[in-house]
């Protein structure tokens, strides 16, 4: 009997796992179960809307989804429409590829104030993720603080800094564009606990900040060390030296060069969001780096800002029936193995680190494990797989969105795109399902 595998989550890690399984076992069947009617996880909802070339990998994922032994079950939520125990009963193996979609809390006084947003929510909003399309952030402020020193923080700063013309070839959600491009933002401060050498920006993203039409990057030269010290690989040293050189270039720029400014502020950790229920500033403590850690010096200072966006990492939500490693914010696992017949890949396995391609290795490992485990246990033992899932969902009145349905949603988005843009994103599930329903209605009439 073919081995039946369910992968929960249609992000990069889910698709890499499906592709690896197709290769590892010539007969196995794979069903990809996804909460949204749209596939591709953070490629659609996380990767910046003005970085369209990064999203190109989804074309390979689309080919995987359309392979004869793969099916897509969109708009089906594990924990709402189907339980994990039920899924494990239907399939020989279940792979959790659900990502780490929750913001890590800021955890400082005032962190719950109006005007404080987590990057998962904020990025989801401007990328048209249905869960965040009603976030309606109030950006009526001259100054925004972005906490974090990785590419997510820099993406947020860039999207706030770019002009409508610079975003014209992006798929920034229309409702978000209307708010961002009307906002009177002049100063964006990117705050890192550690120094410029420890910052996690990739050089491409950092350098891009120097080439914006109406925004100049600034950094205090006194914060830039003369050289990169410490033990590290040659590759790491080269990358850090490159970032340092880029920041040196920024330190020579003038604040009055352009209408907006992005300030890189290092060696500072937020200790309190100021304001009386609504953000009006941040209190920070200066730090120094000891080893690889930021240590507070006791010296405090304040910066004014009307919005705080924290990009300090992501974690998993609770998933019924799954034990979570609370410290790491991931599914408790041993290199992808959770329990017999249950596996985990991607950010749900490792946490929010690495690039899209990093998830490929997770898929390869788990495909290998499933193949070995199935050989050992003489399964597939005739589990119903997708046929059983369809029957169960139908009983519950749940109509999965197929990959062909998604292609219709995509076609509608492409057809509605403004000139120069790749698509006009549908941001509400009901509107996506209306597109799916259209041809069926037309067919019924004819
Ligand atoms: C803001 C941001 C920008 C990024 N930019 C880049 C970049 O430019 N380049 C790059 O290489 N990497 C980038 N990354 C990293 C990259 O997006 C991740 O490495 C990758 O998406 C992780 O894949 P994943 O499959 O583990 O999780 P995800 O992509 O999050 O996919 C998880 C999927 O599971 C689904 N799901 C969750 N819970 C359930 C449930 N209960 N039932 C059914 N389905 C569920 C979700 O809807 C989602 O589709 C970025 C990440 C972020 C957050």
């Amino acid at each position: 009997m073919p081995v039946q595998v369910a992968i929960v989550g249609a992000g990069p890690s889910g698709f890499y796992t499906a592709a690896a399984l197709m290769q590892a076992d010539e007969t196995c069947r794979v069903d990809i179960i996804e909460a949204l009617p749209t596939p591709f996880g953070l490629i659609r909802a996380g990767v910046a809307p003005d970085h369209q070339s990064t999203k190109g990998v989804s074309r390979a994922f689309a080919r995987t989804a359309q392979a004869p032994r793969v099916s897509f079950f969109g708009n089906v939520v594990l924990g709402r429409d189907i339980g994990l125990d039920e899924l494990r009963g239907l399939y020989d193996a279940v792979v959790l590829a659900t990502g780490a979609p929750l913001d890590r809390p800021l955890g400082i006084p005032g962190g719950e104030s109006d005007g404080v947003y987590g990057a998962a929510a904020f990025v989801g909003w401007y990328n048209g993720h249905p869960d965040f399309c009603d976030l309606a952030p109030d950006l009526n402020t001259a100054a925004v603080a972005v906490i974090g020193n990785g590419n997510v923080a820099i993406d947020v700063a860039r999207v706030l800094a770019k002009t409508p013309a610079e975003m014209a070839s992006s798929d920034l959600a229309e409702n978000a564009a209307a708010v961002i491009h009307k906002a009177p933002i002049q100063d964006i401060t990117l705050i890192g606990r550690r120094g410029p050498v420890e910052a996690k920006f990739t050089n491409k993203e950092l350098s891009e900040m120097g080439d914006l039409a109406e925004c100049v990057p600034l950094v205090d030269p006194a914060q830039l060390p003369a050289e990169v010290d410490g033990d590290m690989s040659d590759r790491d040293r080269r990358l850090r030296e490159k970032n340092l050189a880029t920041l040196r270039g920024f330190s020579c720029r003038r604040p009055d060069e352009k209408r907006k400014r992005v300030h890189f502020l290092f060696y500072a950790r937020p200790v309190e969001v100021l304001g009386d229920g609504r953000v009006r500033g941040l209190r920070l403590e200066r730090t120094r780096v000891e080893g690889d850690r930021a240590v507070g010096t006791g010296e405090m200072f304040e910066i004014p800002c009307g919005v705080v966006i924290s990009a300090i990492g992501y974690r998993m939500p609770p998933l019924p029936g799954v034990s979570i490693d609370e410290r790491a914010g991931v599914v408790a696992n041993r290199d992808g193995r959770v329990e017999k017949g249950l596996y985990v890949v991607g950010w749900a396995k490792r946490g929010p680190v690495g690039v899209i391609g990093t998830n490929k290795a997770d898929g390869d490992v788990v495909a290998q494990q499933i193949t070995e485990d199935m050989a050992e246990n003489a399964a597939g033992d005739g589990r119903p797989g997708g046929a059983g899932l369809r029957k169960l969902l139908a009983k519950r009145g749940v109509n999965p969105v197929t990959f062909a349905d998604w292609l219709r949603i995509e076609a509608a988005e492409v057809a509605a795109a403004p000139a120069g843009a790749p698509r006009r994103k549908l941001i509400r599930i009901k509107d996506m399902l209306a597109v799916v329903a259209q041809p069926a209605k037309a067919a019924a009439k004819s």
Side-chain angles (χ1 to χ4, degrees):
M1 302 297 284
V3 171
Q4 307 273 0
V5 183
I7 297 173
V8 186
S13 65
F15 275 111
Y16 281 128
T17 306
L21 279 163
M22 291 290 101
Q23 276 215 325
D25 178 339
E26 284 175 2
T27 59
C28 79
R29 301 198 59 90
V30 174
D31 293 335
I32 303 177
I33 294 153
E34 166 57 48
L36 295 175
T38 57
F40 311 137
L42 286 172
I43 292 184
R44 180 175 162 101
V47 171
D50 58 333
H51 281 182
Q52 287 297 313
S53 60
T54 308
K55 297 178 189 258
V57 63
S58 54
R59 285 193 287 274
F61 296 156
R63 284 195 292 279
T64 300
Q66 292 171 94
R69 289 180 285 132
V70 178
S71 298
F72 177 73
F73 290 74
N75 204 25
V76 176
V77 180
L78 175 67
R80 181 191 72 185
D81 301 316
I82 179 124
L84 184 59
D85 283 351
E86 292 171 321
L87 214 50
R88 293 182 72 182
L90 292 171
Y91 290 86
D92 298 304
V94 173
V95 182
L96 300 170
T98 46
L102 292 187
D103 282 298
R104 275 190 186 276
L106 203 45
I108 56 174
E112 308 292 316
S113 305
D114 288 347
V116 178
Y117 305 99
F122 194 78
V123 170
W125 169 71
Y126 69 55
N127 268 325
H129 190 300
D131 288 356
F132 304 110
C133 64
D134 292 319
L135 184 72
D138 180 354
L139 300 184
N140 189 19
T141 177
V144 175
V146 183
I147 303 171
N149 256 193
N151 280 345
V152 175
I154 233 170
D155 278 354
V156 168
R158 191 182 64 254
V159 168
L160 291 177
K162 274 191 168 180
T163 62
E166 286 176 297
M167 294 302 280
S169 56
S170 79
D171 60 2
L172 179 65
E174 207 173 49
N175 61 329
V179 176
I180 291 171
H181 295 145
K182 238 186 26 217
I185 298 168
Q186 289 178 341
D187 290 280
I188 301 163
T189 305
L190 272 169
I191 299 166
R193 280 178 307 166
R194 298 183 295 167
V197 166
E198 291 81 23
K200 300 281 184 216
F201 312 128
T202 48
N203 193 258
K204 181 174 164 287
E205 273 69 21
L206 183 63
S207 305
E208 197 179 346
M209 297 308 284
D211 300 323
L212 303 184
E214 288 193 9
C215 183
V216 60
L218 299 169
V219 59
D220 178 354
Q223 293 213 310
L224 305 179
E227 54 191 29
V228 176
D229 283 335
D231 282 343
M232 65 192 78
S233 68
D234 288 350
R235 183 177 170 276
D236 270 359
R237 191 177 305 280
R238 270 198 310 278
L239 292 175
R240 290 172 187 218
E241 280 170 351
K242 232 172 150 184
N243 275 0
L244 206 48
T246 304
L247 287 164
R248 273 199 204 100
F250 293 174
S251 73
C252 304
R253 304 285 295 262
R254 285 193 338 269
D256 60 353
E257 263 181 53
K258 301 197 172 166
R259 199 167 61 86
K260 293 184 183 179
R261 291 160 293 274
V262 166
H263 308 263
F264 287 83
L265 174 61
F266 297 104
Y267 304 110
R269 74 169 174 214
V271 291
E272 186 180 354
V273 176
L274 304 171
D276 37 15
R278 162 93 225 165
V279 180
R280 64 171 179 78
L282 261 185
R283 178 170 295 130
L284 300 128
E285 180 181 18
R286 288 199 201 284
T287 63
R288 62 172 178 272
V289 174
E290 284 180 8
D292 210 30
R293 287 185 52 240
V295 180
T297 61
E299 187 190 344
M300 303 289 170
F301 65 106
E302 293 179 6
I303 60 167
C305 58
V307 166
V308 172
I309 299 165
S310 72
I312 56 168
Y314 297 83
R315 53 170 294 117
M316 281 212 46
L319 207 50
V322 177
S323 129
I324 304 286
D325 173 341
E326 289 297 339
R327 198 187 48 80
V330 299
V331 173
N333 74 91
R334 280 169 295 106
D335 196 21
R337 280 196 165 93
V338 181
E339 287 172 18
K340 188 164 178 279
L342 185 63
Y343 307 82
V344 63
V345 289
W347 278 19
K349 168 191 174 185
R350 287 178 287 108
V353 284
V355 292
I356 293 165
T358 315
N359 299 289
K360 181 172 183 309
D362 297 343
D364 292 345
V365 166
V366 158
Q368 185 66 31
Q369 290 169 348
I370 291 176
T371 318
E372 283 167 13
D373 293 352
M374 294 302 135
E376 224 168 75
N377 301 329
D381 54 8
R383 309 259 177 137
L389 177 61
R390 259 185 212 99
K391 225 190 256 171
L392 193 64
L393 292 175
K395 238 199 258 168
R396 291 179 184 163
V398 179
N399 253 334
V401 168
T402 64
F403 204 76
D405 293 336
W406 149 246
L407 293 176
R408 284 208 294 277
I409 296 170
E410 188 183 37
E413 291 189 336
V414 171
R423 64 188 65 79
R424 177 176 174 270
K425 274 185 175 172
L426 292 170
I427 60 172
R428 291 182 196 285
I429 290 178
K430 73 173 174 41
D431 294 335
M432 298 174 191
L433 297 183
V435 170
V436 171
Q438 268 167 20
K441 266 191 214 153
K445 269 188 208 153
S446 61

